[in-house]
């Protein structure tokens, strides 16, 4: 996917990018590749693949959720900034908080945000299990995203404590989504979530399967969750 195709495909979804926004994506690509030489951010560095598998894929959440109506977004385990930074470029009004457990990645994101001139982006070097216990963040976000971080039963425990009541958790998953959802039913019930919709699509050129899972926060998450660091992954609620 070249940058022109990227622009046209987003236009078809109702997302019109200015020349400034297109330049921000171009900068993002170059900074990603440059930093990837000194630290492991992504195995995908070919330009057309980055535009499709990282940029377009990240923005795909907005094909199914109205991001124009959201104000606060938290991205858990953002890695090299996916999906939150592409979404922030497309929807500049968003106040974005990014949580990642690796200090090096936060260093990269700090540089990226500065170079792209993005405002209202807050970066936190923290474990999701600890971050979700902090009163200033707990149940404070309109939407929380996670892309390729862990299976859904684990993600529910990482993310639902951060979603405000009547807010949305958006899990961006690959082909295993349906099976993960079956195993994640108990965690949804325990943590205050309710499955809204599962959206299935394929990337336009590469054609790999993608699922956008939207989960409504219908009641408060019990205070004992998330459990201590490492526990949700070792013993998920299933």
């Amino acid at each position: 996917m070249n940058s022109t195709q990227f622009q046209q495909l987003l236009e078809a979804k109702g997302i019109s990018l200015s020349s400034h926004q297109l330049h921000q994506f171009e900068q993002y690509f170059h900074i990603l590749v440059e930093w990837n030489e000194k630290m492991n951010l992504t195995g995908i560095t070919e330009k057309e693949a980055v535009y499709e598998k990282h940029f377009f894929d990240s923005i795909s959440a907005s094909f199914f959720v109205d991001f124009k109506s959201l104000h606060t977004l938290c991205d858990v385990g953002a890695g090299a900034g996916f999906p939150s930074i592409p979404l922030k470029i497309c929807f500049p009004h968003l106040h974005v908080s990014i949580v990642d457990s690796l200090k090096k990645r936060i260093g990269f994101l700090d540089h990226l945000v500065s170079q792209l001139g993005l405002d209202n982006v807050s970066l936190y070097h923290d474990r999701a299990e600890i971050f979700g216990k902090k009163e200033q963040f707990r149940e404070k976000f309109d939407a929380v995203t996670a892309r390729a971080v862990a299976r859904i039963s684990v993600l529910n425990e990482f993310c639902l404590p951060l979603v405000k009541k009547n807010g949305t958790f958006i899990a961006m998953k690959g082909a295993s989504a349906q099976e993960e959802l079956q195993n994640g039913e108990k965690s949804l019930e325990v943590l205050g979530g309710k499955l809204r919709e599962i959206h299935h699509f394929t990337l336009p050129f590469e054609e790999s399967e993608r699922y956008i899972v939207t989960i409504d926060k219908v009641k408060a998450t019990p205070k004992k969750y998330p459990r201590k660091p490492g526990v949700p992954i070792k013993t998920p609620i299933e």
Side-chain angles (χ1 to χ4, degrees):
M1 178 184 292
N2 61 38
S3 56
T4 302
Q5 291 165 329
F6 174 70
Q7 182 181 10
Q8 290 170 343
L9 285 162
L10 290 180
E11 186 86 43
K13 294 291 187 181
I15 301 168
S16 298
L17 297 181
S18 66
S19 57
H20 174 63
Q21 288 167 307
L22 289 167
H23 179 62
Q24 285 177 311
F25 278 111
E26 193 72 13
Q27 280 181 291
Y28 193 168
F29 166 70
H30 288 293
I31 294 166
L32 177 68
V33 171
E34 178 193 343
W35 276 63
N36 201 58
E37 289 177 4
K38 51 190 173 184
M39 59 182 287
N40 181 30
L41 290 165
T42 177
I44 300 167
T45 55
E46 193 264 327
K47 187 172 184 178
E48 295 199 351
V50 169
Y51 266 79
E52 182 172 18
K53 294 184 186 179
H54 283 328
F55 296 166
F56 186 84
D57 189 29
S58 291
I59 299 161
S60 68
S62 71
F63 304 163
F64 309 106
V65 175
D66 180 14
F67 273 74
K68 289 176 183 173
S69 70
L70 302 177
H71 299 287
T72 55
L73 173 72
C74 182
D75 189 9
V76 174
F82 307 122
S84 48
I85 299 296
L87 287 167
K88 170 67 178 175
I89 293 171
C90 291
F91 303 96
H93 72 281
L94 287 173
H95 285 242
V96 173
S97 297
I98 296 177
V99 188
D100 200 275
S101 60
L102 195 65
K103 196 167 179 64
K104 280 184 180 179
R105 283 198 291 257
I106 293 293
F108 162 74
L109 291 168
D110 188 46
H111 175 76
L112 178 70
V113 165
S114 171
Q115 291 298 302
L116 299 186
L118 300 174
D119 59 4
N120 295 317
V121 178
S122 302
L123 305 172
Y124 300 96
H125 173 229
D126 211 343
R127 294 284 298 254
E129 300 98 322
I130 296 171
F131 191 78
K133 288 277 195 182
K134 293 178 176 174
E135 194 177 340
Q136 68 266 42
F137 305 119
R138 188 175 178 88
E139 302 192 322
K140 293 293 192 290
F141 296 96
D142 295 333
V144 177
T145 54
R147 176 179 178 261
V149 175
R151 60 190 190 272
I152 284 174
S153 54
V154 176
L155 289 180
N156 285 335
E157 190 166 352
F158 285 170
C159 298
L160 280 170
L162 297 166
V163 183
K164 64 169 65 168
K165 196 171 176 192
N166 300 318
T168 309
F169 167 39
I170 306 161
M172 306 181 71
K173 304 297 297 182
S176 62
Q178 299 276 14
E179 183 186 341
E180 288 185 31
L181 275 167
Q182 287 177 351
N183 294 331
E185 284 178 4
K186 184 179 178 184
S187 64
L188 273 181
E189 192 179 327
V190 167
L191 298 161
K194 183 180 180 182
L195 179 65
R196 185 199 306 169
E197 287 180 290
I198 310 162
H199 303 278
H200 173 256
F201 71 102
T202 55
L203 289 177
F205 297 100
E206 196 259 355
E207 296 187 344
S208 56
E209 284 191 286
R210 294 289 188 271
Y211 289 86
I212 307 293
V213 181
T214 52
I215 292 167
D216 292 325
K217 180 72 171 279
V218 293
K219 60 184 179 183
T221 301
K223 287 184 178 176
K224 68 176 181 176
Y225 300 106
R227 292 167 291 169
K228 290 179 181 176
V231 175
I233 288 176
K234 284 178 187 167
T235 54
I237 305 166
E238 290 182 352

